[in-house]
Amino acid sequence: PPCPVLLCLLPWTATQISARGSPATFGPVFEDQPLGLLFPEESTEEKVTLACRARASPPATYRWKMNGTEMKLEPGSRHQLVGGNLVIMNPTKAQDAGVYQCLASNPVGTVVSREAVLRFGFLQEFSKEERDPVRTHEGWGVMLPCNPPAHYPGLSYRWLLNEFPNFIPTDGRHFVSQTTGNLYIARTNASDLGNYSCLATSHMDFSTKSVFSKFAQAPDPGPDTRLFAPSIKARFPAETYALVGQQVTLECFAFGNPVPQIKWRKVDGSLSPQWATAEPTLQIPSVSFEDEGTYECEAENSKGRDTVQGRIIVQAQPEWLKVISDMEADIGSNLRWGCAAAGKPRPTVRWLRNGEPLASQPRVEVLAGDLRFSKLSLEDSGMYQCVAENKHGTIYASAELAVQALAPDFRLNPVKRLIPAARGGEIAIPCQPRAAPKAVVLWSKGTEILVNSSRVTVTPDGTLIIRNISRSDEGKYTCFAENFMGKANSTGILSVRDATKITLAPSSADINLGDSLTLQCHASHDPTMDLTFIWTLDDFPIDFDKPGGHYRRASAKETVGDLTILNAQLRHGGKYTCMAQTVVDSASKEATVLVRGPPGPPGGVVVRNIGDTTVQLSWSRGFDNHSPIAKYTLQARTVPAGKWKQVRTNPTNIEGNAETAQVLGLTPWMDYEFRVLASNILGTGEPSGPSSKIRTKEAAPSVAPSGLSGGGGAPGELIVNWTPMSREYQNGDGFGYVLSFRRQGSSGWQTARVPGADAQHFVYSNDSVRPYTPFEVKIRGYNRRGDGPESLTALVYSAEEEPRVAPTKVWAKGVSSSEMNVTWEPGQQDTNGILLGYEIRYWRAGDKEAAADRVRTAGLDTRARVTGLHPNTKYHVTVRAYNRAGTGPASPSANATTMKPPPQRPPGNISWTFSSSSLSIKWDPVVPLRNESAVTGYKVRKGFTRH
């Protein structure tokens, strides 16, 4: 009898129809695209090259468009095609300026390059006409216009004074606008007299050109030194448009006397510290959308201020968010392709097919960034481009669509030749031939066609599923596939094996943090197959090879797969699954491990009812980690650098069921963060995350300033010093000090307020204050909430004055060739200050006192020895008392003469004789010279030499 159609097929057949033609065929992909070019009109270069190169198989051919019109590239013309590059010989602005695009084509399709604009740069000469003198008054501001010649693109500017290269410096008084080229002088000086010339420079792609203006004369300014408030003359626009990534420069310069200071700020946000500047220009090197906003320039001097505002509007070229990629699709199927781009303004999206605009048509729907095909045909194959554009640019994304028609083919994915399966289990045998359109699939066992039943199912994708497998299911299974292009089949053999079973399952356990535990798992299996144990925790595989891990596995027997947990942590609690697995089946059992430990971190710490020294905290309970929470601890830290410290609370002990408590003993007007820790019998857990930062309310100071001292200063002054109060003791804004002082023994107190927390001294000046008068002084802090407590009273003395009384009875005597002794009497007691000592001034007879050398004594001793003198020299000597204020009047002078120097020659003819207990030494006497002092004796020194 005739066989069923699918059983009569050949073992396999293959037929393919595709727009590609062969596996090596693909459409053009750009590797090099043209770039915009600025060509100097005066360049000596004879050609311009616009690059274009595409990878393609077969190789691509190239065409070019200029301003949307295809160019005729004929041999011998000025426009030559070299490879894919367009070479323009002897380019001119009139003929060649415009927008260029390269088209690359092969049999698969055509793609269009991005647009490249060829522009021509130029810079003409300045006008030859003489410039009128610019007159002003000294102290006034002045602007010298540059009036640059015609040019493209923009220029950079500098100014010369009198001759090259004497360039005008960029300082606070001078400013050269890089927008207009004009020179601004905020306040003129006599030194500004001279001849000025504007230097304009053009920077193009591969050349630089500079031109000079005629000199403009600045005559001698007449004197007028009046001060006047700033007036901004160089102003940035009300609106400045910029693209993301570009540099933005705002200019602002003002006339004024004194020269104004420039400050910048962002009105509707904060100005980045890296751009904060006192310069006339605000530069943002790479602008972003966050930089958009209103900016203000303020010019200020002692006479007033002037401001100007303008807005930076940031836009962006198109940028791809989603692009198309090469696609293979079955004939007759549906396809949806999409691309998306960001930009400002929002880009519009259009589509090209083989370089030509694509619009909606039967089977093809174009909806902005979506391209939809229904029932694809071979004619839909080709090169597609998604084009996104706004006024700032255009971007292209290219991809190839290959529509395929294929007969079923099992060569790449045949049915598995040997298919093992476990008895009593289930097996799925896929049938996945390559085919376009999708093939119709039938299965057979031997010569029997399989149909769906309670045990056998063929899924829509062609997979054969057999359930409750028995030995009778063994045999050959064949998959038959067919579409309108052809037919094919593939066969595999099903082999039934013994099922895998868990013989000893793991048991659930309850352990504490840090304990160890072994979970047992034993299994039986088909002896012809290998057995593998796989453990998971909450369905995630356990990594036994992780360095420092807590898991170990048993390896004594193939049928034993025990798991050991070492030093268990909280994260090790959960559902453990032991799976015994062979290549054909698996069996698994579960066990639950409970790890008890300290509580987890509380959550949601909220601060309420903020007072000056108290706040109310609330929080939510964290995990108790299977052990009830016993208590909570609250901690606080000062922001930004404080350390976490436990704080006093109400109630003192916070029980485990509480979720709120009051914090006590805080410092007023201080920034704090808070956190909560939970504890149970197993320990204290991790802290909560910090609360949001809060500031306690202000209160009057509660601590008096310390370090009260003083003294010194000018006559008639009382100087009082103290240690400034640190931030934590100020308790509020508007902090300052109240100083109270009075002469010792008087009754009334004088007070003085010293604003500012950083203040650390006060000077009371009154001509009636006598030198070194004791004052009683005390101090307290104040802020907007009131005054704080006063310090203890300290005794501070008014400024000292130089001693008024000179020493008496000065006597001096030379005691050697380089020394003299000086004595004196102190004179009457002086109340101008504390006597520190005496200053001895001495000078040689014949010299002036102004050349005197000085030596000071420390303390009240009334004698001193002066050293380092010249021999046989007469000296005049005076003595003065000194204190911290200076040196007092000189005593009457005394005279002293140093001795002659000692004899310089040693004794001669030295001889000696020994006796049992004595040594006799003899020498010739020394006769002093006329300029040496008389010999008064000899010194004998003894020493020992060991042999």
Side-chain angles (χ1 to χ4, degrees):
C3 64
V5 61
L6 286 172
L7 296 181
C8 298
L9 295 175
L10 294 172
W12 60 266
T13 61
T15 305
Q16 174 175 341
I17 299 176
S18 171
R20 287 187 168 182
S22 73
T25 299
F26 57 90
V29 178
F30 281 115
E31 293 183 328
D32 199 1
Q33 299 189 57
L35 296 171
L37 186 63
L38 180 63
F39 188 82
E41 290 186 2
E42 300 177 3
S43 174
T44 57
E45 294 287 331
E46 297 179 349
K47 64 182 180 180
V48 168
T49 301
L50 297 174
C52 183
R53 185 176 76 255
R55 173 170 45 88
S57 179
T61 59
Y62 300 91
R63 295 172 289 144
W64 282 83
K65 287 183 178 181
M66 178 184 177
N67 296 329
T69 302
E70 187 166 340
M71 303 175 67
K72 294 181 179 180
L73 304 177
E74 299 175 349
S77 70
R78 289 192 315 110
H79 302 117
Q80 299 290 323
L81 191 62
V82 179
N85 298 343
L86 176 63
V87 180
I88 305 173
M89 307 300 295
N90 300 315
T92 64
K93 180 179 180 181
Q95 293 178 289
D96 301 309
V99 180
Y100 291 81
Q101 277 185 293
C102 172
L103 292 83
S105 305
N106 77 350
V108 175
T110 299
V111 288
V112 180
S113 75
R114 63 181 169 222
E115 295 178 345
V117 181
L118 176 59
R119 296 182 174 91
F120 286 78
F122 65 94
L123 173 58
Q124 296 180 2
E125 297 292 333
F126 275 96
S127 169
K128 301 299 183 182
E129 296 181 5
E130 293 293 332
R131 298 197 168 206
D132 294 334
V134 178
R135 300 182 182 277
T136 186
H137 291 284
E138 182 177 355
W140 289 19
V142 69
M143 184 273 286
L144 280 70
C146 180
N147 298 327
H151 59 274
Y152 182 84
L155 305 175
S156 61
Y157 301 93
R158 300 177 76 182
W159 278 78
L160 294 166
L161 176 58
N162 295 327
E163 60 183 13
F164 185 88
N166 186 21
F167 288 104
I168 300 295
T170 300
D171 54 26
R173 201 166 64 86
H174 300 87
F175 175 65
V176 178
S177 169
Q178 297 303 310
T179 302
T180 63
N182 297 340
L183 169 64
Y184 297 84
I185 305 176
R187 185 204 68 228
T188 54
N189 295 335
S191 61
D192 295 320
L193 172 68
N195 294 314
Y196 290 79
S197 175
C198 178
L199 171 64
T201 302
S202 175
H203 300 278
M204 299 180 220
D205 284 353
F206 49 86
S207 74
T208 299
K209 179 181 179 181
S210 299
V211 293
F212 291 86
S213 72
K214 297 284 285 184
F215 278 96
Q217 185 180 24
D220 187 9
D224 185 348
T225 57
R226 287 178 297 175
L227 304 181
F228 61 95
S231 175
I232 296 177
K233 299 299 183 182
R235 294 171 170 257
F236 55 96
E239 290 185 343
T240 299
Y241 286 86
L243 292 180
V244 169
Q246 285 185 340
Q247 176 172 292
V248 175
T249 301
L250 304 182
E251 295 185 340
C252 176
F253 191 76
F255 294 169
N257 189 10
V259 174
Q261 295 294 315
I262 300 295
K263 295 180 183 177
W264 293 90
R265 74 182 185 98
K266 189 176 183 184
V267 176
D268 45 5
S270 59
L271 188 63
S272 174
Q274 61 185 340
W275 304 327
T277 176
E279 299 295 327
T281 57
L282 172 67
Q283 282 193 344
I284 303 176
S286 180
V287 73
S288 64
F289 287 116
E290 290 75 19
D291 301 319
E292 186 170 272
T294 301
Y295 291 79
E296 180 183 83
C297 167
E298 176 188 84
E300 183 177 19
N301 65 12
S302 59
K303 300 302 291 181
R305 59 192 292 269
D306 192 12
T307 61
V308 61
Q309 290 186 355
R311 185 167 183 80
I312 293 179
I313 300 171
V314 181
Q315 299 195 332
Q317 297 174 332
E319 181 181 8
W320 288 121
L321 300 174
K322 175 184 171 185
V323 296
I324 55 176
S325 56
D326 291 344
M327 181 73 68
E328 292 181 350
D330 294 348
I331 190 169
S333 64
N334 298 330
L335 173 66
R336 178 175 177 178
W337 240 349
C339 64
K344 188 179 179 182
R346 183 187 298 275
T348 58
V349 178
R350 55 188 174 89
W351 290 83
L352 303 177
R353 179 164 63 188
N354 294 325
E356 300 296 329
L358 180 62
S360 294
Q361 52 191 272
R363 297 190 307 101
V364 180
E365 185 178 16
V366 180
L367 294 172
D370 277 348
L371 179 60
R372 302 178 184 179
F373 296 89
S374 58
K375 297 182 179 179
L376 283 167
S377 67
L378 294 177
E379 291 75 20
D380 294 321
S381 296
M383 298 301 298
Y384 288 79
Q385 289 178 285
C386 180
V387 185
E389 56 192 344
N390 65 13
K391 65 181 181 180
H392 301 300
T394 305
I395 54 176
Y396 293 77
S398 305
E400 178 185 346
L401 172 61
V403 180
Q404 303 185 57
L406 304 172
D409 185 352
F410 281 100
R411 286 178 295 180
L412 295 179
N413 198 16
V415 174
K416 191 175 180 181
R417 185 172 298 278
L418 178 61
I419 308 165
R423 185 166 54 190
E426 179 179 302
I427 188 70
I429 309 173
C431 178
Q432 297 173 334
R434 188 181 183 196
K438 183 179 178 181
V440 176
V441 172
L442 287 179
W443 279 90
S444 72
K445 179 185 178 187
T447 59
E448 176 189 359
I449 298 297
L450 297 178
V451 296
N452 287 346
S453 66
S454 60
R455 292 182 57 247
V456 178
T457 300
V458 179
T459 64
D461 68 355
T463 300
L464 172 63
I465 300 175
I466 305 174
R467 304 174 185 85
N468 193 19
I469 294 172
S470 65
R471 291 287 183 184
S472 63
D473 292 318
E474 289 187 327
K476 291 185 178 181
Y477 289 80
T478 302
C479 174
F480 299 91
E482 179 180 7
N483 65 12
F484 76 90
M485 294 293 296
K487 308 172 183 178
N489 61 68
S490 182
T491 300
I493 299 175
L494 178 66
S495 174
V496 178
R497 312 292 175 89
D498 289 339
T500 302
K501 297 180 181 179
I502 299 290
T503 58
L504 178 60
S507 301
S508 296
D510 184 342
I511 61 175
N512 289 337
L513 182 74
D515 291 349
S516 296
L517 171 70
T518 296
L519 297 175
Q520 293 181 309
C521 186
H522 300 181
S524 64
H525 67 296
D526 191 300
T528 64
M529 311 188 78
D530 292 332
L531 180 66
T532 301
F533 287 92
I534 298 174
W535 283 90
T536 62
L537 171 58
D538 294 332
D539 299 326
F540 289 94
I542 291 175
D543 182 5
F544 288 93
D545 299 324
K546 182 178 180 180
H550 294 257
Y551 295 108
R552 302 289 185 272
R553 68 162 84 237
S555 57
K557 297 181 180 180
E558 182 185 8
T559 58
V560 176
D562 295 352
L563 168 69
T564 298
I565 308 172
L566 302 174
N567 186 23
Q569 303 298 303
L570 294 173
R571 64 180 181 275
H572 297 141
K575 180 186 73 175
Y576 284 82
T577 302
C578 173
M579 177 184 292
Q581 179 177 282
T582 66
V583 295
V584 298
D585 72 335
S586 64
S588 62
K589 292 293 182 178
E590 299 174 355
T592 300
V593 174
L594 193 68
V595 181
R596 303 182 187 275
V605 179
V606 178
V607 187
R608 298 187 178 90
N609 302 335
I610 300 170
D612 54 1
T613 60
T614 63
V615 297
Q616 189 75 25
L617 284 192
S618 61
W619 59 90
S620 58
R621 292 172 58 87
F623 293 110
D624 62 9
N625 290 327
H626 315 296
S627 179
I629 296 174
K631 68 172 184 176
Y632 287 99
T633 303
L634 307 189
Q635 293 182 338
R637 70 176 176 187
T638 55
V639 178
K643 295 182 179 179
W644 289 106
K645 296 180 181 179
Q646 185 171 339
V647 292
R648 293 190 294 113
T649 60
N650 180 23
T652 304
N653 297 314
I654 306 172
E655 297 181 354
N657 59 355
E659 293 187 4
T660 184
Q662 187 182 40
V663 179
L664 309 175
L666 301 176
T667 300
W669 198 57
M670 185 62 68
D671 294 331
Y672 282 102
E673 290 177 338
F674 300 90
R675 68 181 186 183
V676 182
L677 299 89
S679 303
N680 60 19
I681 60 173
L682 297 174
T684 299
E686 293 293 318
S688 69
S691 69
S692 57
K693 183 182 74 173
I694 63 97
R695 176 171 290 183
T696 50
K697 292 184 178 180
E698 297 181 3
S702 55
V703 177
S706 62
L708 204 56
S709 63
E717 288 184 348
L718 170 67
I719 296 180
V720 182
N721 301 320
W722 61 89
T723 303
M725 294 284 277
S726 61
R727 169 71 173 77
E728 62 183 305
Y729 297 117
Q730 294 171 21
N731 286 11
D733 201 5
F735 188 84
Y737 303 90
V738 177
L739 198 69
S740 301
F741 56 96
R742 66 182 179 186
R743 285 184 177 87
Q744 188 179 29
S746 61
S747 58
W749 291 88
Q750 292 180 267
T751 60
R753 296 177 76 85
V754 183
D758 295 333
Q760 53 188 337
H761 70 270
F762 169 75
V763 179
Y764 170 68
S765 182
N766 192 315
D767 292 341
S768 65
V769 175
R770 295 183 57 79
Y772 205 60
T773 300
F775 280 79
E776 294 175 321
V777 180
K778 54 187 177 179
I779 191 171
R780 65 180 181 271
Y782 73 88
N783 60 24
R784 294 190 304 188
R785 303 292 294 178
D787 291 356
E790 281 191 323
S791 68
L792 297 176
T793 301
L795 200 62
V796 177
Y797 286 82
S798 63
E800 300 179 36
E801 291 186 7
E802 299 89 343
R804 292 176 294 182
V805 179
T808 61
K809 298 182 180 179
V810 177
W811 176 84
K813 180 182 180 181
V815 294
S816 71
S817 61
S818 62
E819 298 174 323
M820 65 177 171
N821 286 336
V822 182
T823 62
W824 61 91
E825 291 187 2
Q828 297 179 354
Q829 186 176 359
D830 199 329
T831 60
N832 275 19
I834 297 178
L835 184 65
L836 300 179
Y838 295 90
E839 180 179 279
I840 302 166
R841 299 187 184 184
Y842 54 96
W843 64 99
R844 287 187 288 186
D847 290 347
K848 294 184 178 180
E849 184 178 357
D853 290 318
R854 305 180 186 193
V855 61
R856 281 190 169 187
T857 68
L860 304 182
D861 198 358
T862 58
R863 66 181 61 208
R865 173 164 290 193
V866 180
T867 62
L869 305 178
H870 294 281
N872 196 26
T873 303
K874 182 179 180 180
Y875 283 90
H876 301 299
V877 181
T878 63
V879 181
R880 303 166 186 252
Y882 73 89
N883 59 19
R884 282 178 290 190
T887 305
S891 68
S893 65
N895 299 323
T897 301
T898 54
M899 295 180 178
K900 294 179 181 181
Q904 300 299 307
R905 291 174 300 161
N909 296 323
I910 300 174
S911 62
W912 59 86
T913 58
F914 284 101
S915 65
S916 59
S917 62
S918 65
L919 171 67
S920 297
I921 303 174
K922 296 180 179 181
W923 61 86
D924 291 342
V926 175
V927 179
L929 302 177
R930 292 181 58 189
N931 62 345
E932 293 178 340
S933 59
V935 176
T936 59
Y938 296 89
K939 287 185 178 180
V940 178
R941 295 178 180 173
K942 65 180 179 178
F944 298 93
T945 301
R946 295 183 181 274
H947 296 280

